[in-house]
């Protein structure tokens, strides 16, 4: 019988257990961010950005353009398509507000497709009835690292003359390769079907994604005309201010310090003060939460590309760790009778482990008392975070009933690279009193 099912509290469990408190701030990223603070000549320009571009291009056999965020990359991609006002872009329910925001900023109309509860991705069976003469593109999302059926979507798009955009923000698959001298290297790869079928691939290097540059993103295309437009938009993109770059470089340092101070009871207070002083740039601005978006695209600073590149080099170990921790959660779910979407079994590396619960909001609130923070912003709404006015994002209530139901019952568990097995076992132990088979969503 697996040890995951027999938890004995130990003093070495590190708190907080969380989704969002610097989840990808590894020791290596901390060191790089610290050094870069004192190398301002590398902040905007440098060789690391070109190396990041080259590695992404080689891994996915696409031309890569780099931008200041994943949402900037998506907006650039939609502009490269030269959407006409009123043209439609199909996206899934259970998504982030930055996706419809980008569609609206490109003068398009967001059309929501309901999801398959077992994959948390768009229900391909429903796509055909949503396509109209005004439809221009489909954006498919590999939710939490669960692959979408891109082969079928590719077939539909090819037959209907539509552009397929793959949102790969949650997952970067990898493969191992040998250099012929006995050295094995892990690198990003278009394996597991992810990144293989899209006309355009979108990546985010945000704080809780597959890899993190604190911010940043990329748009990759296999079509020379689109790739050329993306590169021109990158060249024309607005630069981050030097102060903004410094604040982003400070993110790994401040969160690392906060977690070190957590046991003394001052970690959260330190983060609140840092945020109030503007030292921690927000993930989403208040304007973005209201359905508005900055129509100006930003360039990716070399300093943040350096952080993302470093983590891309660790993608193999990141994915292996995520897979091992996910197996612990899956084994516990099977033993305890907890309900979860079976699509997780097809994921090369889950970003987080999804469960279904009768009242996940109450569970999250109770677990906060144990310094377990499971609010990741992906709960309670079809367009997240739940504070977003759904109509401002172009969503009509009732149009995606499965996504609405899932949003009410979704509880996600952290699988980031700074999460360890003791924390997973503690969380499983804590969930036993919260999740019971008789009360699970089926």
């Amino acid at each position: 019988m697996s040890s995951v099912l027999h938890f004995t509290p130990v003093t070495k469990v590190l708190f907080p257990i969380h989704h969002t408190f610097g989840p990808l701030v590894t020791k290596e990223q901390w060191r790089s961010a610290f050094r870069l603070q004192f190398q301002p000549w590398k902040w905007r320009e440098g060789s690391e950005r070109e190396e990041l571009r080259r590695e992404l291009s080689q891994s996915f056999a696409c031309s890569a353009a780099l931008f200041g965020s994943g949402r900037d990359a998506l907006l650039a991609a939609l502009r490269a398509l030269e959407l006409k006002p009123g043209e439609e872009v199909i996206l899934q329910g259970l998504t982030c507000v930055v996706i419809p925001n980008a569609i609206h900023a490109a003068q398009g109309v967001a059309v929501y497709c309901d999801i398959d509860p077992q994959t948390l991705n768009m229900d391909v069976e429903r796509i055909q009835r949503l396509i109209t003469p005004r439809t221009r593109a489909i954006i498919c999302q590999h939710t939490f690292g669960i692959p979408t059926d891109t082969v079928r979507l590719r077939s539909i798009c090819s037959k209907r003359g539509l552009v397929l955009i793959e949102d790969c923000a949650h997952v970067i698959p990898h493969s191992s390769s040998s250099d012929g001298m006995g050295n094995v290297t892990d690198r990003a790869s278009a394996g597991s079907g992810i990144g293989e079928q899209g006309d355009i691939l979108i990546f985010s290097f945000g704080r809780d994604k597959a890899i993190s540059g604190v911010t940043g993103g990329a748009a990759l295309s296999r079509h020379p005309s689109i790739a050329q437009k993306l590169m021109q938009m990158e060249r024309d993109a607005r630069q981050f201010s030097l102060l903004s770059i410094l604040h982003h470089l400070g993110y790994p340092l401040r969160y690392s310090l906060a977690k070190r101070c957590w046991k003394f009871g001052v970690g959260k207070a330190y983060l609140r003060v840092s945020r109030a002083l503007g030292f921690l740039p927000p993930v989403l601005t208040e304007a973005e939460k209201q359905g508005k978006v900055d129509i100006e695209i930003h360039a990716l600073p070399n300093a943040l590309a350096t952080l993302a590149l470093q983590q891309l080099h660790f993608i193999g170990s990141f994915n292996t760790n995520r897979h091992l921790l996910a197996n612990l959660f899956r084994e516990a779910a099977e033993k305890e009778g907890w309900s979860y979407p079976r699509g997780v079994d097809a994921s090369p590396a889950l970003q987080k482990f999804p469960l279904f619960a009768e009242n996940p909001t109450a569970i999250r609130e109770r677990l906060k008392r144990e310094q377990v923070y499971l609010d990741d912003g992906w709960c309670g709404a079809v367009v997240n975070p739940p504070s977003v006015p759904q109509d401002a994002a172009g969503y009509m209530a009732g149009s995606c009933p499965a996504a609405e139901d899932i949003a009410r019952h979704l509880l996600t568990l952290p699988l980031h690279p700074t999460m360890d097995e003791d924390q997973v076992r503690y969380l499983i132990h804590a969930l036993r009193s919260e999740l019971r088979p008789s009360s699970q969503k089926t």
Side-chain angles (χ1 to χ4, degrees), residues 183-428:
N183 299 314
V184 177
T185 303
D186 283 310
R187 57 182 297 157
S189 161
S192 305
I194 294 172
E196 295 180 357
Q197 302 294 332
D199 298 293
I200 299 173
L201 313 179
I202 302 299
F203 293 89
S204 173
F205 312 136
R207 304 162 204 196
D208 63 347
K209 300 302 191 292
I211 61 174
S212 172
V214 182
T215 188
L220 282 64
S221 179
R222 297 184 169 92
H223 298 272
S225 61
I226 294 176
Q228 186 176 9
K229 292 175 185 175
L230 288 170
M231 287 302 300
Q232 185 60 52
M233 278 186 272
E234 179 188 335
R235 287 190 288 269
D236 294 339
R238 181 180 179 182
Q239 294 285 347
F240 278 37
S241 71
L242 295 178
L243 182 60
S244 177
I245 295 173
L246 181 61
H247 285 338
H248 280 87
L249 287 175
Y251 171 89
L253 310 179
R254 294 188 176 93
Y255 269 91
S256 180
L257 178 59
K259 286 190 281 190
R260 286 177 180 274
C261 296
W262 207 268
K263 60 184 177 181
F264 304 114
V266 297
K268 287 184 72 173
Y270 170 72
L271 291 176
R272 281 196 296 267
V273 171
S274 297
R275 196 172 292 113
L277 293 174
F279 294 156
L280 294 174
V283 177
L284 287 172
T285 66
E286 289 304 316
E288 286 174 317
K289 293 177 184 178
Q290 297 302 313
K292 302 174 184 177
V293 65
D294 187 350
I295 62 173
E296 194 167 30
I297 293 172
H298 293 78
L300 177 62
N302 182 70
L304 304 185
T306 301
L307 300 183
L309 175 65
Q310 180 193 64
Q311 297 217 321
L312 186 61
H313 290 160
F314 282 91
I315 192 64
S317 60
F318 283 6
N319 286 353
T320 297
N321 186 64
R322 282 179 156 130
H323 189 69
L324 291 173
L325 298 185
N327 281 342
L328 298 180
F329 283 133
R330 184 188 294 108
E331 182 182 357
E334 290 290 344
K335 176 66 176 181
E336 302 294 333
W338 300 339
S339 180
Y340 65 94
R342 299 296 162 165
V344 302
D345 295 332
S347 174
L350 286 172
Q351 182 210 21
K352 54 193 72 173
F353 193 94
L355 291 172
F356 299 133
E358 193 61 36
N359 192 344
T361 300
I363 292 173
R364 283 187 285 267
E365 286 300 315
R366 284 193 290 268
L367 288 181
K368 281 183 183 179
R369 303 168 194 163
E370 299 186 43
Q371 302 181 69
V372 176
Y373 301 89
L374 299 184
D375 189 346
D376 62 349
W378 278 78
C379 49
V382 171
V383 184
N384 289 287
S387 58
V388 170
Q390 302 293 284
D391 56 349
Y395 178 71
M396 182 183 301
S399 60
C400 293
E404 291 180 10
D405 185 52
I406 292 298
R408 287 192 294 268
H409 295 91
L410 187 62
L411 180 71
T412 60
L413 311 179
L415 291 172
H416 49 77
T418 54
M419 186 85 173
D420 63 35
E421 289 189 29
D422 289 313
Q423 291 174 315
V424 169
R425 292 188 175 102
Y426 183 94
L427 182 50
I428 290 170

Side-chain angles (χ1 to χ4, degrees), residues 66-86:
L66 303 177
F67 298 98
S69 66
R71 67 203 73 170
D72 280 357
L74 178 57
L75 177 55
L78 294 171
R79 285 181 175 170
L81 299 181
E82 299 180 355
L83 286 181
K84 297 179 177 63

